[in-house]
Amino acid sequence: MDVLEVLNLGDVAQTFSKMGMFPVFDLAYYIVSILYLKYEPGSVEVARKSPVASWLCAMLYCFGSYILADVLLGGCPLDYFQYNSHILLASAIWYLVFFCPLNLFYKCVAFLPVKLVLVALKEVVRTRKIAAGVHHAHHAYHNGFLIMVIIGYVKGSGVALISNFEQLLRGVWRPETNEILNMSFPTKASLYGAILFTLQEAHLLPVSKSTLICLFTVFMATTKVILTARHSHGSPFVLIESWVCHLLFGSPLGGGEEEHHAAPAPVSPVKTKEEFGEGTRKRKSKKAE
């Protein structure tokens, strides 16, 4: 018997897990996703010069996880675009965020108290997508636990895993921003969540799916709201990851990254301005002698 059932909260978890996401939760998901797109350097200029490219980027931000998951499972990457109501809603949000007169819509949704509510609602959708991705992979590959983790991870990570492709649509190429190399909190949490839901799907985790969805949603929403309120890009997993990496790989995660960033830059054969000026002064002094 689950702990939540003992506390008479099992029905609440069951009801919450069956709650529909459209339109309220999906609306929040699209607003926050496109809001993050507008935060990207140069995105406003791209929207003015090439609205089609900006719209495609917005669709990737909203539906990138579905596209990538369909590709990995051998489906059509355009399959999700059959849902006209979702496409129209996301397109309307994109237009309002980038082209609303006086930037009123952007100012309203970017207002911190409103944004915190929207961020919390977005994490509800993220958790549901992770669970749905694992469940979908479980039906296609009943014993493919790794496939379940991968699809759940992809569904939860959203556009982050294809961010370099999205950047190309905006005429930007920044390979150092690869999400696999520098995983953000939502991406890490999606991976850990996919593992948990895979264990639950395989009946290796003694908890019901509705309970797991409820607990993981509370964790994701609470953590993400706190990080957003503090304008932080950190992760609550840092200490555990550092300990595990030290135990398994011989060095803490943070230390490895610091050493990587602190590596001395290669000496350039080209003289700096200071070296060039110093050489000129020496030649002049020799001529004077």
Side-chain angles (χ1 to χ4, degrees):
M1 183 177 293
D2 297 330
V3 175
L4 290 184
E5 292 177 355
V6 175
L7 297 176
N8 295 323
L9 296 177
D11 293 339
V12 175
Q14 188 72 20
T15 303
F16 177 78
S17 65
K18 293 182 178 181
M19 188 183 301
M21 295 292 100
F22 188 85
V24 177
F25 292 94
D26 285 329
L27 176 65
Y29 186 92
Y30 301 152
I31 291 176
V32 176
S33 298
I34 298 175
L35 198 60
Y36 288 155
L37 171 61
K38 190 167 185 177
Y39 290 159
E40 290 293 322
S43 62
V44 176
E45 290 76 8
V46 171
R48 300 292 182 185
K49 294 179 181 178
S50 179
V52 174
S54 178
W55 179 83
L56 287 174
C57 291
M59 295 304 102
L60 283 180
Y61 263 76
C62 295
F63 310 115
S65 59
Y66 299 104
I67 295 172
L68 185 55
D70 286 336
V71 170
L72 293 177
L73 290 174
C76 176
L78 299 179
D79 185 63
Y80 198 82
F81 285 85
Q82 66 180 306
Y83 302 110
N84 297 324
S85 56
H86 289 265
I87 303 302
L88 290 174
L89 181 60
S91 299
I93 296 302
W94 163 76
Y95 185 84
L96 290 173
V97 168
F98 282 94
F99 301 105
C100 181
L102 303 178
N103 225 10
L104 289 178
F105 185 80
Y106 169 78
K107 293 176 181 178
C108 290
V109 297
F111 182 53
L112 187 58
V114 177
K115 184 180 177 181
L116 294 180
V117 174
L118 295 174
V119 165
L121 296 178
K122 179 183 179 180
E123 296 310 312
V124 176
V125 179
R126 188 194 304 277
T127 302
R128 200 68 64 86
K129 288 168 66 176
I130 296 173
V134 171
H135 183 71
H136 185 191
H138 176 69
H139 276 280
Y141 303 92
H142 191 70
N143 295 317
F145 299 142
L146 181 58
I147 298 176
M148 296 181 206
V149 172
I150 292 174
I151 300 303
Y153 172 50
V154 166
K155 281 289 189 77
S157 299
V159 73
L161 297 179
I162 54 174
S163 58
N164 293 121
F165 175 73
E166 181 273 327
Q167 290 168 5
L168 288 177
L169 292 178
R170 292 188 283 111
V172 179
W173 175 243
R174 293 186 297 168
E176 70 278 1
T177 61
N178 189 309
E179 189 69 18
I180 300 296
L181 297 176
N182 303 288
M183 296 175 68
S184 60
F185 163 71
T187 307
K188 290 180 181 180
S190 297
L191 176 59
Y192 300 147
I195 294 173
L196 290 176
F197 281 103
T198 298
L199 292 175
Q200 192 282 327
E201 198 75 42
H203 305 291
L204 298 176
L205 196 64
V207 64
S208 67
K209 179 179 288 187
S210 59
T211 300
L212 184 58
I213 288 176
C214 186
L215 292 177
F216 195 75
T217 300
V218 171
F219 166 74
M220 288 295 297
T222 303
T223 305
K224 189 61 178 168
V225 165
I226 293 174
L227 292 176
T228 303
R230 298 175 58 187
H231 302 285
S232 171
H233 298 284
S235 169
F237 305 125
V238 171
L239 293 178
I240 298 176
E241 290 171 345
S242 298
W243 182 83
V244 172
C245 288
H246 176 72
L247 182 65
L248 297 180
F249 307 113
S251 62
L253 180 66
E257 290 179 350
E258 289 172 1
E259 291 173 3
H260 173 73
H261 292 298
V267 179
S268 173
V270 182
K271 289 184 177 181
T272 63
K273 291 182 179 180
E274 290 78 10
E275 291 173 339
F276 184 81
E278 183 65 23
T280 303
R281 286 193 295 272
K282 288 182 178 179
R283 288 194 296 270
K284 286 182 179 180
S285 62
K286 286 183 179 179
K287 289 181 180 180
E289 292 176 355

